[in-house]
Amino acid sequence: MKCGARCFTVQAEINGKLQSIPVTARTSVQARKVARLEYGEQLNIISVKADPVN
């Protein structure tokens, strides 16, 4: 994990099913990029939200 990384929840549609994907990244843009690299073209991102810090 890189310095400054936080947890994000990516809401996405994968093969017609709505799923929540936990991603560790520095920014929401990087969280989108990580999710796209992992799931490929069948991924349709709906939203990206930062998880609250405890």
Side-chain angles (χ1 to χ4, degrees):
M1 187 155 72
K2 293 186 177 186
C3 180
R6 301 187 314 186
C7 259
F8 290 90
T9 301
V10 178
Q11 295 286 332
E13 184 179 343
I14 303 168
N15 295 327
K17 296 180 182 178
L18 199 60
Q19 294 185 358
S20 296
I21 307 165
V23 177
T24 303
R26 288 184 181 174
T27 65
S28 62
V29 175
Q30 286 182 340
R32 289 175 178 268
K33 186 183 274 189
V34 169
R36 281 192 194 115
L37 287 172
E38 188 173 331
Y39 289 94
E41 292 189 18
Q42 70 266 17
L43 180 74
N44 182 19
I45 297 175
I46 297 169
S47 70
V48 177
K49 294 182 182 179
D51 288 344
V53 178
N54 291 340

